Amino acid sequence: MTWTQLRELKCSELEGAADGWGKVSNRADAARDRIDKQLLAGLEATQEGEALEAASARLGELSRNFQYVYVECGLIRTTLNSLAQELRGAQRMLRAALDDADGLKFTVHADGSVGYPAAGEHLITRDKLPGGTAEGSALPRLLSPPPALTAPNPHAAKAQEIADTIACAVGEANRIDARYTATLLKLTAPRDGLLTSDAIWTDAHGDATAVRGLADEYLRDSIPREKSPAERGAWWGGLTQERREEYLAVYPDEIGNLDGIPAEVRDAANRDNLALLIGKLEGRAGDEGERTRLAGLRAIDEQVRSGGHPPMFLLGIGEHGNGRAIVSYGNPDTARNVSVYVPGLGTSLDEEFARNDLKRARDTAVGAREYDASSASIVWLGYDAPQLSAADVAGNTDVMFADQARVGAVAYNEFMSGVSATNRNEDPHVTAIGHSYGSLTVGQAAQRQGGIPGADDIVLLGSPGTGAASADELGVGRRHVFVGAAENDPVTAMPAKIEARGMATGAVSGAVVGAAVGGPLGAAAGGLGGAAAAFFAQDAQADDREIWFGTDPAHEAFGARRFRVEDGPRPLGDRGRFTAHTNYFNPDDDEESARNIAKVVAGRGDKISTQEHR
């Protein structure tokens, strides 16, 4: 590119081309939306059997093709708009230099050099100093003193400055051109056409990564990550429709996980980000953790695409840590009642989460809608829940994973601020729900300054404690703290730390003595006997109100309202394993518990059936 080409370049033509690609992108998105929300729904209402399955499969493929067209065309639009913006910067630099040259009556030659007229005079002869030509350079120059007894032409320095500026502008434009050319050449569909395969989304993820590398200054740097959810919502509301579409095409991961952005927008962004993440993980071998997250992403994608009622909103998705997923059943921006459930120990982004935890949120939404149709329920996996192992327990008996709850509490409160910021009701009813270790996370969030933003009620299920001594410390008033604790749920009967430390010491001592007497079997028997003896010795000293993380929420000393749940099968005697710990949400296995949770979520906490405190 020469300086004359840069001067005459019409960046508006690049933006016009970008608009054309944007229209194609929007048409594809509208077609995908029609398939997902109209055609598939109509088929399910009128067809059944193999015909329905075959037609749904074909329409699903078509929908994914339109999604790919939407993403790719959106990437091209943003690339062209970003190119125009960067070239405008170089063009402004050039035109400012040309204006300076014109004002001084300098001549700019075709090669970018600058001619200047005679001016000044020789110090001895008093002759007029001749003009000359300054050759431009984009490299920095070293200053040198003028020759002795000879004053330079007063125009020389300015001409040199102008020539260097022209060289810099042209050099920058050519570098910009090369970078964007390389990226645009990557934005091509596979030669065999559009196929709804993982490979095509691996390709799309690579394309998105390439465009992000160019568009950071144009788009990404303006995202208000450090602002409050309310301020983020105001930022999004102030963008033009075109700019919003560009953010959704290039940064669906950023927009989809930004608290304060409307739920419908986050859902649209995360559905695209979900496809890109599947393509990314599919495109590399990965370790066991990545394969587990890929399976979880696929399971969520299957549910999102299948539709259903209440409608699903994907409010967050990510692969970092143990994985992130936030799913709402019902629109949390329009619902009068919104609950946000935090899962507990061992939860990660895997098939089990997609199968069990999503169902718990859906069961809660369906149950609450029996009392108030304007209800939405969210499952929030926005933190790394502890992944239990023997090594973890043995090496961390004093803290027992409390750090993850404290970190999660900060993220949870941020999300809850976003729920309050985007909800369109004047005074929505918001319920924070914590199950198992998730109840500790909710408890820690409630004890932070200001409490859980917007929360009216708190529900603790299968809780090992909250770190609080009483319900009064949770910020909503003890009458608004509800507890479900099955009698045969072992998590709600975790020993206090003084008992656990005694058990660990007794087990080690008993195992040593037993091994000396009876070998491996003696060690096992001695370990169990020592643990039991130590437990009873420490139990005599321990406060019966205390469990692992403070006061038992089901104890009368805590002061919460305990609602009725089934006792559940005993872990060993009834071979129930831990089902008493997992049945709280399930209307098939514990109808009364599920109904009580639904009542609280729907703002009918005064209608729960109660159970005597421990």
Side-chain angles (χ1 to χ4, degrees), residues 5-241:
Q5 289 175 318
L6 178 58
R7 181 188 62 186
E8 301 302 323
L9 177 67
K10 293 181 173 60
C11 292
S12 60
E13 292 181 353
L14 290 171
E15 292 170 331
D19 289 342
W21 286 101
K23 289 177 181 177
V24 177
S25 179
N26 290 339
R27 290 282 295 276
D29 191 40
R32 174 185 61 165
D33 196 60
R34 182 164 179 257
I35 290 171
D36 293 346
K37 296 182 179 179
Q38 296 180 34
L39 298 184
L40 285 172
L43 276 175
E44 291 173 359
T46 59
Q47 306 295 318
E48 61 183 19
E50 293 182 5
L52 172 61
E53 293 177 5
S56 296
R58 293 291 296 276
L59 282 172
E61 290 180 0
L62 185 59
S63 173
R64 285 188 286 275
N65 282 340
F66 277 126
Q67 184 181 19
Y68 177 77
V69 173
Y70 158 75
V71 169
E72 289 288 315
C73 293
L75 292 175
I76 295 173
R77 170 177 59 182
T78 297
T79 302
L80 292 173
N81 276 333
S82 183
L83 170 61
Q85 175 173 286
E86 289 203 40
L87 285 176
R88 272 203 177 94
Q91 195 175 56
R92 283 193 296 270
M93 185 190 305
L94 170 69
R95 286 177 174 171
L98 294 178
D99 288 344
D100 285 347
D102 185 63
L104 294 168
K105 307 301 181 185
F106 292 173
T107 302
V108 179
H109 303 296
D111 63 355
S113 60
V114 177
Y116 55 91
E121 59 182 26
H122 194 279
L123 294 177
I124 297 177
T125 64
R126 300 297 180 183
D127 293 335
K128 200 167 191 177
L129 294 174
T133 300
E135 302 286 342
S137 173
L139 299 175
R141 295 179 180 275
L142 297 176
L143 298 176
S144 58
L149 303 177
T150 303
N153 185 315
H155 292 312
K158 186 62 178 177
Q160 188 63 65
E161 179 186 332
I162 293 172
D164 287 347
T165 300
I166 292 172
C168 286
V170 173
E172 178 63 15
N174 279 308
R175 286 188 292 274
I176 293 168
D177 181 61
R179 284 192 292 113
Y180 279 86
T181 297
T183 298
L184 283 167
L185 288 174
K186 294 178 181 178
L187 302 183
T188 57
R191 292 184 180 181
D192 54 354
L194 295 179
L195 298 172
T196 55
S197 65
D198 291 326
I200 209 169
W201 285 106
T202 300
D203 169 73
H205 179 268
D207 292 345
T209 300
V211 174
R212 289 172 187 172
L214 298 174
D216 281 357
E217 181 178 350
Y218 174 57
L219 291 176
R220 188 175 185 273
D221 292 348
S222 298
I223 298 175
R225 297 173 195 81
E226 305 304 319
K227 300 292 186 179
S228 69
E231 290 171 320
R232 294 168 186 162
W235 166 78
W236 182 260
L239 296 176
T240 64
Q241 183 60 29

Side-chain angles (χ1 to χ4, degrees), residues 354-372:
R355 181 172 60 252
N356 295 331
D357 291 281
L358 263 62
K359 181 181 183 301
R360 290 170 185 165
R362 185 181 183 280
D363 285 343
T364 300
V366 171
R369 286 177 175 223
E370 293 182 7
Y371 300 97
D372 188 338

Side-chain angles (χ1 to χ4, degrees), residues 337-341 364-365 376-379 429-433 601:
N337 306 294
V338 182
S339 67
V340 185
Y341 146 58
T364 300
S377 178
I378 301 170
V379 54
H429 174 254
V430 179
T431 305
I433 303 176
V601 170

